[in-house]
Amino acid sequence: MALTEQALAPADLQDPATFSQGVPHEAFAEMRARPTLSWTPPSGGDRTGFWSVTRHAPVSEVSRDTDLYSSAVGHIQIYDIDEDALSARASMIDLDPPVHTRLRRLVSSAFTPRHVQSYETAVRSRIAARLDALVRAGGGNWVEAVAAPIPIGVICDIMGVPESDHDYMIELTDHLVAGTSSKPLEPTAYGNTTDLRLLPFNSPAAHGINEYARALGERRRAEPADDLVTKLIEAEVDGERLTDAEFTNFFRLMVFAGNETTRASMAHLALLLMDFADQFEQLRSDPSLMDQAVEEVIRYSSPILYFRRTLTRDTVLQDTPLRAGDKVVMWYAAANFDEEVFDEPLRFDVTRPLRPPNTAFGGGGAHFCLGAPLARLELAVLIGAILSRGIDLRLAGDPVYVDSNFVNGIEHLEVEVR
Amino acid sequence: MSDDLVRVAVDEERCIGGGQCEMLEPEVFLLDEDEVISSVIGSGELPRPRADVVVHRCPGAAISIVEPQRPSE
């Protein structure tokens, strides 16, 4: 296909500013309406441009075909990084089956729907404490008071990070996504001695997390506990223990993925409670709608905006010829508003059917969100606790979105509680 | 015809231990706690619509319908 015939993406999808007010619905709607994928030419230091997938069906298709659409070839974010940087930071999300499968099985039993039920009591008490404190204060920054501390607390409990270090984990993971924290870091922050280009998000905070993981791992080696860090330290894959880098990369992935994502959906939940109060009234009068309400919050908040795959062979997707080595970007936040799949997609509707599923946890297949059952539990408990307390939120300032084209987060959301 | 029973199978190489199958159809799937791989218990038979849901919901795309069985009474 000649370049002139290609449909260029109507917005700069690499510029965080495009996402400064949340999901760019107009641009995505225009892209979904096109017969083919949209193309963005190379910019910055990248050698190649990328294809954007915005419809639900092809996002699902790309997600499920890990042989054709690889996570291990090239980066899973749009920008390219060097081979040594790729291998230095690789965790299971940067790998394909069967290696991915072996690593995932090390932790999967902690996140099955059956197993996450055992976390419910702890989740409930964390949520109660945070909500009660917010009510007593009459309001505050919803993100700092509720959305940030709850998911990190839950995932840290599962990993085995002591309560006294939870704030430090929030601080470190905040730095991983540009703009989640307003404090810029020096390259040597947290004692970093690693070349920044080898670190995830090129952030010295990743070094801080690695060092923390290493120290915690040492403690668990000496004194095992019933937690995931102990499990990872003791785990064997094909008869071999995880290497130091495999272990720290695993730890970092878990605290990041278990934290930023649910945090984003909990932040959006506050906006949804205010914007669509009638829908939550309906849920209050019919609690059997909870599963659907949770999925709708997750669809609407689409915490992870995209992941990229790289073509291993030539193919055709949505009438678009693609070549081996091409970058394909799955915009989950676009597929979640596909008019062909979700009737009146911008309507928040707690009665929306559970099928077909949204793509907020990915489009299905090997990389489907490991923590989905945990995220669903946390959101269901939070929504239930808000409704049962009759908490009535009012916006007390403009929401400040995270400066990122990857995480659809909210950095600051000032609310009053009535 | 929607009451037709079909037999399901798990591809153990693809199973990522997501546990969706066990949650949806605990009579048919068991997730081994150590291996964290799902396997079919009993006859492995399900009405086709329920089998379709499990097949689609499996995050590892590891479940398939292997053969149509006799129609149920």
Side-chain angles (χ1 to χ4, degrees), chain B residues 43-60:
Chain B
S43 69
E45 287 178 348
L46 278 172
R48 184 175 284 278
R50 281 162 58 187
D52 286 342
V53 169
V54 178
V55 166
H56 195 80
R57 187 69 85 86
C58 172

Side-chain angles (χ1 to χ4, degrees), chain A residues 123-144:
Chain A
V123 168
R124 205 169 278 287
S125 72
R126 277 193 184 282
I127 286 173
R130 293 292 173 176
L131 281 182
D132 292 343
L134 182 78
V135 170
R136 277 197 304 277
N141 177 3
W142 174 266
V143 177
E144 195 185 338

Side-chain angles (χ1 to χ4, degrees), chain A residues 123 127 142 147 150-151 154 261-270 272 280 283 290-291 293-299 301 303 361 372-387:
Chain A
V123 168
I127 286 173
W142 174 266
I150 292 168
V154 172
T261 51
T262 310
R263 163 188 176 149
S265 54
M266 286 183 172
H268 284 275
L269 170 64
L272 295 169
F280 289 94
L283 173 61
M290 183 59 92
D291 286 356
V294 165
E295 284 317 297
E296 186 67 344
V297 169
I298 289 164
R299 179 186 77 90
S301 53
F361 293 121
L374 181 61
R376 288 172 172 141
L377 169 71
E378 291 184 47
L379 280 167
V381 172
L382 178 60
I383 294 168
I386 290 168
L387 295 184

Side-chain angles (χ1 to χ4, degrees), chain A residues 11-70:
Chain A
D12 184 352
L13 298 171
Q14 279 163 299
D15 184 358
T18 301
F19 301 84
S20 63
Q21 297 302 314
V23 176
H25 286 298
E26 278 184 31
F28 281 155
E30 185 182 336
M31 291 160 78
R32 279 192 302 270
R34 293 172 175 178
T36 63
L37 305 180
S38 298
W39 171 252
T40 298
S43 67
D46 289 343
R47 290 178 299 275
T48 57
F50 62 93
W51 299 103
S52 285
V53 188
T54 52
R55 292 187 190 174
H56 190 276
V59 162
S60 185
E61 189 179 336
V62 172
S63 293
R64 285 164 191 268
D65 194 343
T66 54
D67 293 335
L68 185 54
Y69 301 95
S70 174

Side-chain angles (χ1 to χ4, degrees), chain A residues 118-356:
Chain A
S118 66
Y119 306 138
E120 184 170 341
T121 309
V123 168
R124 205 169 278 287
S125 72
R126 277 193 184 282
I127 286 173
R130 293 292 173 176
L131 281 182
D132 292 343
L134 182 78
V135 170
R136 277 197 304 277
N141 177 3
W142 174 266
V143 177
E144 195 185 338
V146 176
I150 292 168
I152 194 85
V154 172
I155 192 67
C156 281
D157 281 351
I158 295 170
M159 296 303 290
V161 174
E163 187 82 38
S164 53
D165 294 337
H166 288 192
D167 285 345
Y168 184 52
M169 281 298 121
I170 294 179
E171 179 188 324
L172 286 170
T173 53
D174 275 3
H175 287 300
L176 284 189
V177 179
T180 315
S181 166
S182 50
K183 292 161 283 184
L185 288 179
E186 294 294 321
T188 55
Y190 300 108
N192 180 43
T193 51
T194 310
D195 186 351
L196 285 187
R197 80 192 168 78
L198 297 180
L199 291 170
F201 302 98
N202 305 313
S203 171
H207 174 86
I209 297 178
N210 291 354
E211 287 303 305
Y212 182 87
R214 217 166 268 136
L216 183 59
E218 284 304 317
R219 295 213 300 278
R220 290 297 185 269
R221 221 185 298 276
E223 255 182 273
D226 182 18
D227 57 36
L228 269 193
V229 165
T230 303
K231 202 165 177 179
L232 289 173
I233 287 287
E234 294 178 346
E236 290 187 1
V237 179
D238 299 337
E240 308 246 341
R241 292 281 165 94
L242 295 183
T243 64
D244 186 61
E246 282 171 332
F247 167 70
T248 53
N249 288 342
F250 219 131
F251 179 90
R252 202 188 52 248
L253 172 68
M254 302 296 282
V255 292
F256 174 79
N259 165 26
E260 286 293 335
T261 51
T262 310
R263 163 188 176 149
S265 54
M266 286 183 172
H268 284 275
L269 170 64
L271 289 177
L272 295 169
L273 282 161
M274 294 183 275
D275 290 347
F276 303 99
D278 60 315
Q279 288 295 307
F280 289 94
E281 262 321 303
Q282 188 174 350
L283 173 61
R284 194 203 306 267
S285 59
D286 182 3
S288 74
L289 293 171
M290 183 59 92
D291 286 356
Q292 284 152 274
V294 165
E295 284 317 297
E296 186 67 344
V297 169
I298 289 164
R299 179 186 77 90
Y300 217 94
S301 53
S302 295
I304 297 293
L305 292 160
Y306 81 87
F307 267 117
R308 165 192 150 189
R309 298 290 185 258
T310 305
L311 258 295
T312 58
R313 306 186 296 275
D314 295 357
T315 193
V316 175
L317 179 69
Q318 199 185 316
D319 294 329
T320 312
L322 307 175
R323 306 193 71 97
D326 279 3
K327 299 173 183 177
V328 173
V329 176
M330 299 174 281
W331 292 100
Y332 305 124
N336 272 340
F337 293 87
D338 186 340
E339 304 77 358
E340 296 292 315
V341 176
F342 304 104
D343 186 40
E344 292 182 65
L346 287 171
R347 188 164 47 85
F348 178 84
D349 180 357
V350 297
T351 67
R352 206 177 276 284
L354 291 170
R355 315 218 54 81

Side-chain angles (χ1 to χ4, degrees), chain A residues 64 100-101 104-105 108-109 111-114 355 357 364-366 368 373 376, chain B residues 12-13 15-20 22-23 31 33 35-37 56-57 59-60:
Chain A
R64 285 164 191 268
H100 163 270
T101 314
R104 179 156 169 153
R105 280 176 185 166
S108 61
S109 66
F111 298 96
T112 61
R114 179 154 52 113
R355 315 218 54 81
F368 185 84
R376 288 172 172 141
Chain B
E12 297 194 351
E13 291 297 308
C15 175
I16 54 174
Q20 297 287 327
E22 185 194 57
M23 180 186 64
L31 198 62
E33 282 288 339
E35 294 294 321
V36 292
I37 295 170
H56 195 80
R57 187 69 85 86

